[in-house]
Amino acid sequence: MNDSTLTTELADGPAVSFTEDDRGFVYAVVRRIVRDEDAADDVTQDALLAAYRHRHTFRGQSRYRTWLYRVAVTSALSHLRRRRQRRAEATRSLDVAGADRDLATAAPSPERVVASAQTAGIVRRHLDQLDPRYASVLRLRLDEDLGEADVARTLGLSVATVKIRGHRARLALRSTLAAAL
């Protein structure tokens, strides 16, 4: 057996082989999903290892590449899920550490209060320039601290419309603020 081909005969029939073409195929599939070359190399290895470990699940009812594609996609999605969980755990640990610091310094500095007030004033001025349909949604969300369902009831709109208008308002506000700066 050489390095470029790994072949294992299954007890009930078809062979599972991993050629350089297979590795390239798996890498291409994984790379499109994880969008990171280093991670794609690792996930490709994991996918090929998983394919080898679960070779008994290939029954020959579909094309070999179809089966290998599913193994690659599953491995890539598992990688993304684990990465998202690690980030969430890191964020939670930072939040806990930040909460401890915040308790020690509960009162914001005067400079921070002034900067926050100035920023709020700039945002309010640019909010006034938006289409009133969009501005009303943002005002209720920001000033009244209402959720989307409450804003929908207040304005007599559907929740979907409130979500769309809120999204469009944020995009418009972002572009007017970027143009002003």
Side-chain angles (χ1 to χ4, degrees):
M1 183 168 17
N2 63 30
D3 290 339
S4 66
T5 305
L6 169 66
T7 303
T8 303
E9 289 294 328
L10 297 178
D12 55 352
V16 175
S17 66
F18 303 122
T19 64
E20 288 301 317
D21 286 343
D22 293 334
R23 181 173 173 65
F25 173 74
V26 170
Y27 178 82
V29 169
V30 167
R31 175 77 170 86
R32 279 192 303 265
I33 295 171
V34 299
R35 295 189 172 144
D36 178 6
E37 289 180 18
D38 294 332
D41 284 331
D42 293 339
V43 175
T44 298
Q45 282 299 114
D46 292 343
L48 291 173
L49 184 60
Y52 178 75
R53 285 183 181 153
H54 300 285
R55 63 191 180 274
H56 63 278
T57 64
F58 179 64
R59 293 181 300 246
Q61 294 173 342
S62 63
R63 286 185 27 222
Y64 168 69
R65 280 279 170 111
T66 304
W67 176 77
L68 193 57
Y69 175 84
R70 282 306 320 157
V71 172
V73 168
T74 301
S75 294
L77 294 176
S78 294
H79 168 78
L80 292 177
R81 200 173 303 115
R82 285 190 307 271
R83 186 168 67 182
R84 190 171 42 246
Q85 288 171 346
R86 283 192 302 267
R87 284 182 182 164
E89 289 169 3
T91 302
R92 279 193 295 273
S93 67
L94 288 176
D95 289 345
V96 169
D100 293 342
R101 272 195 315 275
D102 290 343
L103 289 175
T105 59
S109 69
E111 294 85 11
R112 216 175 259 254
V113 171
V114 169
S116 181
Q118 289 173 343
T119 302
I122 292 169
V123 170
R124 297 253 181 254
R125 281 195 302 277
H126 287 279
L127 188 59
D128 292 337
Q129 296 173 4
L130 294 181
D131 182 331
R133 296 177 301 167
Y134 302 141
S136 62
V137 169
L138 271 187
R139 279 198 187 92
L140 288 172
R141 295 288 313 247
L142 297 173
D143 295 341
E144 305 296 325
D145 196 30
L146 296 178
E148 290 166 338
D150 296 328
V151 171
R153 271 194 299 278
T154 302
L155 297 177
L157 303 170
S158 69
V159 174
T161 303
V162 169
K163 288 180 180 183
I164 291 169
R165 288 186 182 179
H167 176 71
R168 290 179 181 165
R170 286 188 298 277
L171 289 177
L173 186 61
R174 185 179 301 140
S175 67
T176 59
L177 285 170
L181 300 176

